[in-house]
Amino acid sequence: MPTQTAIVTGAGSGIGRACAHQLAAKGHAVVVADINEAAARSVVAEIVQAGGRATALQADVRHDAQRMVDAAVQTYGALDILVNNAGIFYPADFLTTPFEDWHRAVDVMFYGATKCSRAAAQQMVAQGGGGQIVNISSVNAFLGAPLSSHYNTAKGAIDQLTRCLAVELAPHRILVNGVAPGFVETPMAVVDGVNEHSTQDFKQFYVQRRRIPLARPAEPDEIATVVTFLAEGTATYLTGHTIVVDGGLTVTF
Ligand code: NAP
């Protein structure tokens, strides 16, 4: 497998950090892009320490899509992989949350992924075609939940983006797939200072009663393994699909 150049958005933390590490460990060059510059630099330092190639970029997916692509091309000469991972969650009551605040989740996750995908795909086409885009979705994309209409709607839209871009970019040999995690042990699991995986409710319902058949949240590396599989493009006939990685959560009822 030839080495490739990847951009991972939101790579300063959690799942994105694990994806950047795994791609770099496979020999790929990684642009570690994050809104938090210190976090991006810290991940790059870890990767370089481990013998990998990576460069840090402070970038907001809402505004800096082209700058990320330019950084990949200027630093490594091409762009082959985009992982649209950056995301945010905050509880939002549908009846009372000001619309601007509600919309922020859609702006970061859906429009951010859309803008980054377009800038990346334009570069891949200009290079002669070929490449992989992986969108980080969520099981929330196809489930209902309280205080989550902004987040779940954005993730549902990302799944549709995955399907549509897979069709539209196929003539350019660009594969577009998604990964939908269930519960993952990252800073995003901490809401209002409480790690939702450590609450009694979570332990009783999801763990002891095995609502999650594997009876635990995922570690970020367990999601990154699937992202890396899709990102490398070894599955050459797989496009337009979102793989659910949830410990069996959504096959129970
Ligand atoms: P995380 O640890 O909070 O990491 C997300 C990273 O994205 C953070 O470094 C964050 O920076 C950054 N970010 C936020 N807004 C950004 C923007 N506008 N531009 C660039 N970077 C931005 O979260 P995670 O759990 O790894 O989540 C990664 C992805 O997985 C998200 O798309 C999330 O929706 C999805 N997911 C997570 C879970 C879970 O249980 N953790 C489950 C399903 C899906 P700041 O920290 O400074 O905001």
Side-chain angles (χ1 to χ4, degrees):
M1 159 78 48
T3 60
Q4 304 182 60
T5 298
I7 296 170
V8 182
T9 69
S13 174
I15 294 168
R17 171 177 171 270
C19 292
H21 269 283
Q22 289 197 20
L23 286 166
K26 295 225 165 190
H28 306 302
V30 184
V31 175
V32 174
D34 202 288
I35 200 167
N36 181 334
E37 183 170 16
R41 285 185 183 281
S42 161
V43 171
V44 167
E46 295 166 1
I47 290 173
V48 171
Q49 173 78 22
R53 287 182 299 155
T55 188
L57 187 71
Q58 192 284 330
D60 183 331
V61 291
R62 292 171 292 185
H63 311 300
D64 300 321
Q66 190 59 50
R67 202 159 59 76
M68 288 185 232
V69 172
D70 291 345
V73 174
Q74 280 159 18
T75 312
Y76 300 113
L79 175 66
D80 311 292
I81 296 167
L82 168 68
V83 179
N84 281 312
N85 166 78
I88 52 174
F89 179 79
Y90 48 94
D93 183 293
F94 183 69
L95 293 176
T96 58
T97 301
F99 187 69
E100 296 69 29
D101 198 22
W102 189 95
H103 187 263
R104 190 158 46 90
V106 181
D107 207 13
V108 170
M109 290 185 285
F110 175 58
Y111 288 116
T114 304
K115 291 172 184 171
C116 292
S117 295
R118 182 150 77 161
Q122 286 172 341
Q123 174 60 30
M124 291 168 183
V125 171
Q127 290 168 195
Q132 297 78 238
I133 297 174
V134 184
N135 295 323
I136 306 304
S137 175
S138 167
V139 294
N140 287 53
F142 50 88
L143 299 174
L147 307 178
S148 303
S149 58
H150 56 334
Y151 183 88
N152 291 21
T153 303
K155 292 299 191 185
I158 285 172
D159 285 1
Q160 195 56 276
L161 185 72
T162 296
R163 287 186 276 267
C164 291
L165 294 191
V167 173
E168 199 160 338
L169 299 178
H172 303 287
R173 296 181 289 106
I174 300 170
L175 304 177
V176 187
N177 289 293
V179 173
F183 294 103
V184 190
E185 203 61 78
T186 76
M188 189 178 277
V190 180
V191 178
D192 294 333
V194 176
N195 183 332
E196 62 174 343
H197 306 151
S198 66
T199 64
Q200 273 314 308
D201 277 357
F202 186 91
K203 286 177 181 164
Q204 280 170 9
F205 186 66
Y206 289 107
V207 178
Q208 287 156 16
R209 287 167 57 188
R210 292 196 101 99
R211 177 71 168 78
I212 303 172
L214 293 183
R216 59 177 176 82
E219 292 300 326
D221 265 334
E222 295 177 287
I223 309 301
T225 299
V226 183
V227 176
T228 300
F229 163 69
L230 294 172
E232 287 194 296
T234 42
T236 49
Y237 201 59
L238 176 51
T239 197
H241 290 282
T242 296
I243 300 178
V244 177
V245 187
D246 66 352
L249 171 68
T250 55
V251 299
T252 62
F253 66 93

